[in-house]
């Protein structure tokens, strides 16, 4: 009998919502309960494309807005499959899921579409196109935090996009994306304690991990 596949679980949300902490806690909890799980994050700054993106985010280089959008998308695609002549490197998303590993992903195509479409002159529709056909998450949890609550958690960092005006525009674009009922969105109240947020995320995830076993992996926005 074929091995049950792992689930693709994504955490999205505005800055300061606690995505990275919660991804790590979820992976740990799944592993502790005997379910193989690994964390991934986008952008993956370790690849050649990821390094271009990282320099852009750190404001060490400037890139044209369409160009950087496509690089963010390329950075996801390069983590989906092996390049055909790229023998011996670590298994990528599709293979891991097939092997029964649940992937917990810190940001995905939704950040891609929300951040670029928050810039003047970009439609959500155009921004979604390069990511059409990526592995479709079985669950996308949106960590919801009001701008006022985010401000209480301290100053924004130094990277590009880390201003409250831009984050508000991004939040609005996420609201548009969440209207799409083809994606399994769950909104999580990130103003709760870290433990309570974790409980809520775990319970959605456990349900998804068992449901995904008998469902084929879908294609995003297709
Ligand atoms: N970001 C992230 C994008 O603009 N597009 C994308 O596709 C993705 C995945 O990059 F400001 C933005 C969102 C955020 C920055 O920050 C990455 P972190 O701290 O590495 O998540």
């Amino acid at each position: 009998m074929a091995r049950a596949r792992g689930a693709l679980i994504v955490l999205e949300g505005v800055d300061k919502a606690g995505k990275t902490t919660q991804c790590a806690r979820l992976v740990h909890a799944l592993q502790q309960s005997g379910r193989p799980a690994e964390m991934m994050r986008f952008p993956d700054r370790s690849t050649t494309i990821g390094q271009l993106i990282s320099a852009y985010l750190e404001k060490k280089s400037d890139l044209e807005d369409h160009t950087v959008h496509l690089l963010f998308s390329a950075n996801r695609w390069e983590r989906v499959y092996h390049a055909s002549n790229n023998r011996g490197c670590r298994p990528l998303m599709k293979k891991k899921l097939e092997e029964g590993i649940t992937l917990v992903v810190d940001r995905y195509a939704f950040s891609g579409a929300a951040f670029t479409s928050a810039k003047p002159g970009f439609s959500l529709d155009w921004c979604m196109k390069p990511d059409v056909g990526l592995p479709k998450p079985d669950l996308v949890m949106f960590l919801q935090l009001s701008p006022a609550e985010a401000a209480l958690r301290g100053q924004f960092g130094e990277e590009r996009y880390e201003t409250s005006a831009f984050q508000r525009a991004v939040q609005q674009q996420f609201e548009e994306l969440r209207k799409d009922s083809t994606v399994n969105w769950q909104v999580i109240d990130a103003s709760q304690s870290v433990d309570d947020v974790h409980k809520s995320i775990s319970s959605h995830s456990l349900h998804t991990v068992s449901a995904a076993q008998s469902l084929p992996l879908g294609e995003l926005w297709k």
Side-chain angles (χ1 to χ4, degrees):
M1 209 182 91
R3 195 179 353 205
R5 74 168 173 94
L8 180 56
I9 297 175
V10 170
L11 264 75
E12 288 280 8
V14 288
D15 268 41
K16 310 247 174 242
K19 287 183 299 300
T20 307
T21 309
Q22 292 295 341
C23 281
R25 282 197 63 171
L26 176 59
V27 168
H28 185 71
L30 289 169
Q31 288 171 344
Q32 291 287 306
S33 68
R35 297 169 177 89
E38 288 182 20
M39 181 167 164
M40 292 184 76
R41 68 178 307 154
F42 290 109
D44 177 342
R45 301 187 194 215
S46 71
T47 69
T48 307
I49 292 170
Q51 281 158 23
L52 292 174
I53 294 171
S54 189
Y56 170 82
L57 289 170
E58 291 168 15
K59 300 181 198 156
K60 291 182 182 152
S61 70
D62 286 318
L63 288 167
E64 191 277 326
D65 288 328
H66 300 80
T67 309
V68 75
H69 182 72
L70 296 173
L71 287 177
F72 273 111
S73 177
N75 183 235
R76 283 182 281 279
W77 281 107
E78 68 176 337
R79 306 298 294 130
V80 175
Y81 302 103
H82 282 293
S84 52
N85 59 354
N86 196 358
R87 280 185 288 273
C89 68
R90 57 201 163 117
L92 303 184
M93 290 173 75
K94 278 261 193 183
K95 183 145 186 284
K96 290 190 186 212
L97 292 167
E98 282 160 15
E99 286 171 353
I101 300 169
T102 285
L103 296 177
V104 175
V105 186
D106 185 353
R107 297 191 189 279
Y108 199 51
F110 313 99
S111 276
F115 276 77
T116 305
S117 67
K119 297 179 178 180
F122 283 86
S123 71
L124 200 50
D125 188 49
W126 186 87
C127 293
M128 290 161 77
K129 289 262 153 59
D131 287 303
V132 169
L134 277 178
K136 181 177 176 172
D138 298 292
L139 170 66
V140 187
M141 287 176 282
F142 185 81
L143 271 58
Q144 179 80 276
L145 196 67
S146 70
E149 280 163 322
L152 289 176
R153 297 188 177 185
Q155 299 287 305
F156 283 117
E158 297 288 298
E159 285 205 330
R160 212 179 280 265
Y161 304 149
E162 294 185 330
T163 66
S164 44
F166 193 70
Q167 295 285 325
R168 270 196 302 277
V170 170
Q171 173 96 262
Q172 277 177 6
Q173 297 309 110
F174 272 122
E175 278 167 28
E176 285 303 308
L177 285 166
R178 295 206 312 261
K179 292 180 185 162
D180 172 10
S181 58
T182 69
V183 172
N184 179 17
W185 285 99
Q186 295 292 336
V187 177
I188 309 288
D189 175 7
S191 70
Q192 304 171 92
S193 71
V194 175
D195 282 347
D196 286 344
V197 174
H198 171 66
K199 276 186 205 140
S200 161
I201 285 177
S202 292
S203 105
H204 286 295
S205 301
L206 288 173
H207 183 261
T208 299
V209 169
S210 26
Q213 293 185 348
S214 53
L215 293 172
L217 183 65
E219 292 177 302
L220 182 63
W221 293 330
K222 232 177 168 180

